[in-house]
Each structure stands twice: as structure tokens, then as C-alpha cells.
Amino acid sequence: MSTDPMTIKILVVALCVTASTCVALLAGYLERRTGAHPATAVLRAGTAFAGALALEILVLSTLGAL
């Protein structure tokens, strides 16, 4: 039984999105804990999500996994 390579790539990207979401939640939570305005915490979380996802995709592309 073999697995389609496209299925593996989709699952790897889904895992990257999940990990980036965890990073974003943590960043937003920590920003809010410092007393920041909720909009600022959301902005920080979005930035953390984008940065983490870009870094993960870049590393996986460089390694040839995508």
C-alpha cells in the first residue's frame, strides 16, 4: 500500500498551520497578559502566525519536503 505524495504534502502543510496557530495563540496570550489592548494582542498574534508559518514553509521547502 503506497501513499500519494500530494497527500503527504497536504498533511505536512496542515501540521505547519496547526503549529503556527499554537504559536499565535501563545503570542496573543502573552501580549494580553502584559496589559496590552486586545486589538494589539490580536495584531501580535497575527504577526506571530504569519512569521511562524513562513519560516516553517521556507525550511520545509529548502529541505525538499514540499
Side-chain angles (χ1 to χ4, degrees):
M1 184 166 134
S2 65
T3 306
D4 183 30
M6 184 57 79
T7 303
I8 299 296
K9 290 180 182 182
I10 290 171
L11 290 173
V12 167
V13 170
L15 184 62
C16 288
V17 169
T18 303
S20 296
T21 302
C22 291
V23 169
L25 287 171
L26 183 63
Y29 173 74
L30 291 175
E31 185 71 17
R32 187 71 177 119
R33 283 284 294 207
T34 63
H37 192 270
T40 305
V42 170
L43 183 62
R44 180 66 52 109
T47 304
F49 176 83
L53 186 61
L55 183 62
E56 291 166 359
I57 296 297
L58 177 69
V59 168
L60 288 173
S61 294
T62 302
L63 293 175
L66 291 181

